[in-house]
Amino acid sequence: MMDNYDPLERPFEERISTLFYGQQMSLVIVDDDPTGTQTAHDVPVLGDWSADAFIHEFNLKTPLFFVLANTRSLPKEEATSRATEIGRNLLNASLKTGRKFMIVSRSDSTLRGYFPTEVTALSQSAAMANLPVLLTPAFFEGGRITENNVHYILEGEKKIPVSETVFAQDKSFGYINSDLTKWIEEKSEGKIKQEDVKSLSIEDIHAGIEVISERLNALQPNDIMVINSKTYRDLEMTCLVIHQLIKAGKGFNFRTAASFVSAFAGIAAKPWKPNNVSGASKGGLTIVGSYVKKSTSQLEFLLEKEGISPFPISVDTIVYDSSATKTYMNVLVDNIENELQKGIDVVVYTSRELISGASAEESLAIGEKVTSFLVQLVANINFQPAFIIAKGGITSNDIAVKGLGMKRAIVLGQVIPGVPVWQLGEETRFPETPYVVFPGNVGDEKSLARVYDLFTENKTGA
């Protein structure tokens, strides 16, 4: 009977919100790419993880904020080092301000990223080592659920084990197990055995608060527990108990996808419509860097629209012909600016043939080279677009932080489910421009075009 509930229904949202704000602490979501804001609104996103940036938020008593760690774009050693630095800076800021905090390590709902090393690095440097870890990769808006410890992606009526999807074949973060107890053993390289992983089942959750409390309270230091959930109702019931246990003095570390953040904080996604895009007579800029199959099909659908000026980027030139890159860049920038000034919407996209290295590290290095080119391209554009849509997690992170100089943005809401919009801060090159963070693995083939239509349907002067 429980399975008949709407997965997005939020029956305990207000109750949890009261508990969350009553904790009098800051929830810090350390995001390994910038898509963790998929289910939040009216909260800050920091592109700066210095102690001073955290001191500022703690002095403001900011209840919840995101930190763009972007560790998924880095080799493992560098990612661990960055996570350590962030944890250390959070601890120092807390000691200076007296503000308590909790950390959520937010990662991909399709299981790409560094686990458990990232959680360990964050927790040890923030003086939160040895706490039990709750693994919660559910993202209901994107059809990601966990049942009987198996993580699934819902595609229409089909329930697909995540290891059978293209995401499991990722060159840098691939895996073979959908059963999260086996996945943890796989990702820990055998250091954590499947039989040692704990589980909170959906049956436990449906049995009620007392059973959930008993399971969570029994966790010992360094235990890892898989949190199963198919609906926000499941997750919110679990979060009610977590809040009660935290209030009683028990601590946890978290590795989650986006749905946990909103469930635990008692905030919901907020639909946002670009009804009054400033400078609507200007062209808008869409940049597609993500290579996943879903992004490619969305791009193809978008490019069928009339009035769009397409700018394909040759990845071969970027990766293999450094002598031609500068001239190539200058020509692109000039042509893009000309189109934007004429009110024509521009779509910049990388050539779709994936170039990968012989190892995970080499593949990451190639990806970094391509992303750096896109960042420099945006940094060299001096005409402010009416809007910016960035497709792909790493792409959208680096364009915001490195290309536009973002240090602090505000999440306005979601332009469609799972796709957040930020308002860029005054410190950026294009202040107050709506900035769409479009994850590579979200939506159907029409979703990117749908977002584009929302920005352009009221456009004048084009």
Side-chain angles (χ1 to χ4, degrees):
M1 185 175 176
M2 282 274 193
D3 289 346
N4 295 327
Y5 284 116
D6 177 352
L8 302 184
E9 182 191 2
R10 303 289 300 275
F12 306 112
E13 181 187 331
E14 290 186 12
R15 185 175 166 191
I16 290 174
S17 179
T18 300
L19 288 170
F20 174 70
Y21 287 99
Q23 298 278 14
Q24 295 296 307
M25 64 172 64
S26 293
L27 182 67
V28 184
I29 299 96
V30 180
D31 226 343
D32 74 351
D33 84 349
T35 62
T37 57
Q38 289 167 301
T39 58
H41 63 87
D42 298 312
V43 296
V45 183
L46 306 187
D48 175 8
W49 55 81
S50 66
D52 285 344
F54 297 150
I55 287 169
H56 176 72
E57 298 302 331
F58 288 167
N59 279 334
L60 290 175
K61 295 182 168 49
T62 306
L64 180 156
F65 61 90
F66 290 82
V67 180
L68 299 181
N70 205 34
T71 45
R72 212 187 305 167
S73 70
L74 303 174
K76 186 175 183 178
E77 188 175 330
E78 290 180 41
T80 303
S81 176
R82 184 172 293 178
T84 299
E85 181 184 357
I86 290 169
R88 186 184 304 122
N89 288 346
L90 282 167
L91 178 60
N92 290 339
S94 175
L95 293 172
K96 286 184 179 179
T97 61
R99 178 75 170 174
K100 295 179 182 178
F101 68 98
M102 293 174 56
I103 297 176
V104 168
S105 172
R106 203 293 313 180
S107 189
D108 180 39
S109 63
T110 59
L111 305 182
R112 296 168 298 170
Y114 293 112
F115 180 85
T117 51
E118 194 160 16
V119 176
T120 302
L122 278 168
S123 60
Q124 287 183 343
S125 58
M128 296 179 180
N130 305 320
L131 297 176
V133 177
L134 305 183
L135 176 65
T136 316
F139 174 47
F140 307 118
E141 290 82 354
R144 278 64 150 157
I145 64 168
T146 310
E147 184 179 19
N148 297 324
N149 296 331
V150 177
H151 197 52
Y152 294 99
I153 293 180
L154 304 180
E155 295 279 0
E157 298 297 314
K158 294 175 66 177
K159 192 165 68 173
I160 306 168
V162 72
S163 63
E164 297 176 15
T165 69
V166 295
F167 306 110
Q169 299 163 25
D170 187 278
K171 293 292 184 181
S172 302
F173 300 108
Y175 52 90
I176 60 172
N177 290 296
S178 295
D179 182 324
L180 293 179
T181 62
K182 296 179 181 178
W183 179 84
I184 290 168
E185 180 170 339
E186 178 185 351
K187 286 296 167 182
S188 70
E189 298 176 335
K191 296 182 182 69
I192 303 166
K193 300 300 181 185
Q194 175 194 358
E195 57 267 25
D196 294 329
V197 178
K198 312 301 186 211
S199 172
L200 182 71
S201 70
I202 290 174
E203 291 73 24
D204 291 336
I205 295 168
H206 291 180
I209 296 293
E210 288 186 6
V211 173
I212 301 170
S213 184
E214 180 184 322
R215 299 285 188 272
L216 290 173
N217 208 28
L219 291 174
Q220 300 299 307
N222 296 316
D223 276 350
I224 299 181
M225 174 178 270
V226 173
I227 305 295
N228 288 271
S229 54
K230 295 169 66 177
T231 68
Y232 266 113
R233 178 180 288 265
D234 296 336
L235 199 48
E236 284 189 338
M237 286 183 68
T238 306
C239 287
L240 282 171
V241 175
I242 295 171
H243 276 293
Q244 292 169 2
L245 294 176
I246 289 171
K247 191 173 182 180
K250 191 170 181 69
F252 299 95
N253 287 316
F254 303 93
R255 178 68 160 195
T256 82
S259 290
F260 176 83
V261 174
S262 55
F264 184 77
I267 57 176
K270 177 183 177 182
W272 181 88
K273 281 199 170 184
N275 294 327
N276 297 301
V277 176
S278 112
S281 61
K282 304 174 184 177
L285 177 62
T286 299
I287 304 169
V288 181
S290 170
Y291 280 95
V292 299
K293 184 178 179 182
K294 184 165 287 192
S295 293
T296 299
S297 62
Q298 289 172 347
L299 171 65
E300 290 170 352
F301 198 87
L302 174 63
L303 291 175
E304 291 177 4
K305 289 191 163 293
E306 292 183 8
I308 284 176
S309 184
F311 283 84
I313 305 292
S314 168
V315 173
D316 272 346
T317 300
I318 297 168
V319 174
Y320 299 120
D321 192 358
S322 56
S323 62
T325 301
K326 187 175 180 181
T327 302
Y328 185 48
M329 171 81 71
N330 292 338
V331 171
L332 280 168
V333 169
D334 287 344
N335 291 335
I336 289 169
E337 284 190 337
N338 287 336
E339 298 291 75
L340 293 174
Q341 289 175 31
K342 289 187 288 188
I344 297 171
D345 299 311
V346 168
V347 178
V348 176
Y349 58 97
T350 49
S351 50
R352 296 288 91 190
E353 184 179 345
L354 178 62
I355 298 175
S356 56
S359 66
E361 290 76 16
E362 286 182 19
S363 294
L364 282 170
I366 290 170
E368 171 62 22
K369 213 168 193 178
V370 175
T371 303
S372 293
F373 183 88
L374 294 175
V375 166
Q376 288 304 311
L377 180 69
V378 172
N380 287 329
I381 293 172
N382 292 314
F383 185 82
Q384 183 164 352
F387 59 87
I388 301 173
I389 301 171
K391 177 71 177 170
I394 293 169
T395 300
S396 52
N397 182 95
D398 282 0
I399 286 173
V401 176
K402 299 176 182 178
L404 298 172
M406 190 208 93
K407 292 187 179 296
R408 190 179 194 266
I410 297 294
V411 184
L412 297 172
Q414 285 67 43
V415 65
I416 62 172
V419 179
V421 185
W422 302 347
Q423 180 173 294
L424 298 176
E426 291 299 323
E427 78 283 358
T428 62
R429 296 180 56 246
F430 300 143
E432 299 188 5
T433 300
Y435 186 80
V436 179
V437 177
F438 204 130
N441 60 7
V442 167
D444 58 28
E445 67 173 10
K446 298 180 181 178
S447 294
L448 182 58
R450 194 176 303 126
V451 171
Y452 169 79
D453 286 343
L454 288 169
F455 275 94
T456 56
E457 62 188 1
N458 296 323
K459 191 170 178 179
T460 60

